[in-house]
Amino acid sequence: MRGTYTPQLIAVVDDEAALRQAIRSLLRSAGFNAQCFASAAELLRADSVKRAACLILDVHLPGMSGLELQQLLVAQGARIPVIFITGQDDANGSLQARALQAGAVAFLRKPFLEEDLLHALKQVLPTSTE
C-alpha cells in the first residue's frame, strides 16, 4: 500500500506581512507546506520548530533577532537547516559570516530571486518527487 505524501513544513519568520505571504505562495507552489510567523517569539509559542524541516528567518525581527533565534536553537541541540533573508546592508559581510559560521545553509539579500530561495531549499530538503 502506498503512503500519502505530506509536504515538509517550512517555517517562515519575517516581520513583513506581504513578504511572508509571497514566500508562502512560492513554497506551496513548489510542493512545500509553509507556516508563517511575524516574530521569533511567535514561532516559539506555536511550537512549530519541532515539526519544521527548515527555517527561513529574517535577520532583523522585533524582539529576538533571527541570528539570536538561530543561536538559541543551536544551544538547544536543534539541527534544523536555516536560510537567512535580510534587507539590511551587509557591505562587509559580517552578518553573513556570523550566520554561516553558526550553521546557516544560505544567506539571501532582499529582494532575492525566487529561484535562489528554492535552490537553497532543494540543497537541504528532498522534494515530493523523490
Side-chain angles (χ1 to χ4, degrees):
M1 186 165 91
R2 198 173 239 197
T4 302
Y5 174 76
T6 302
Q8 293 178 302
L9 176 63
I10 310 300
V12 179
V13 185
D14 195 295
D15 56 342
E16 296 177 47
L19 183 59
R20 286 193 308 270
Q21 182 57 43
I23 292 173
R24 176 187 296 164
S25 295
L26 172 66
L27 296 177
R28 287 185 175 169
S29 71
F32 295 105
N33 179 18
Q35 194 170 8
C36 297
F37 305 91
S39 68
E42 189 178 308
L43 169 72
L44 294 171
R45 277 193 306 272
D47 207 31
S48 294
V49 172
K50 293 177 184 174
R51 297 181 294 112
C54 185
L55 301 176
I56 298 173
L57 302 178
D58 189 2
V59 171
H60 292 283
L61 296 166
M64 181 185 296
S65 75
L67 290 168
E68 291 168 335
L69 176 59
Q70 180 192 34
Q71 291 170 347
L72 173 68
L73 295 174
V74 168
Q76 291 177 347
R79 301 181 57 92
I80 304 166
V82 174
I83 297 169
F84 276 105
I85 57 177
T86 187
Q88 180 180 357
D89 182 29
D90 187 28
N92 65 4
S94 64
L95 282 176
Q96 182 174 359
R98 282 180 34 209
L100 295 174
Q101 281 180 332
V105 297
F107 191 93
L108 305 175
R109 286 179 183 80
K110 299 175 190 175
F112 49 84
L113 298 175
E114 292 178 352
E115 295 81 18
D116 291 342
L117 180 58
L118 293 175
H119 177 75
L121 281 168
K122 290 176 182 177
Q123 295 301 306
V124 295
L125 301 174
T127 62
S128 60
T129 58
E130 291 183 352

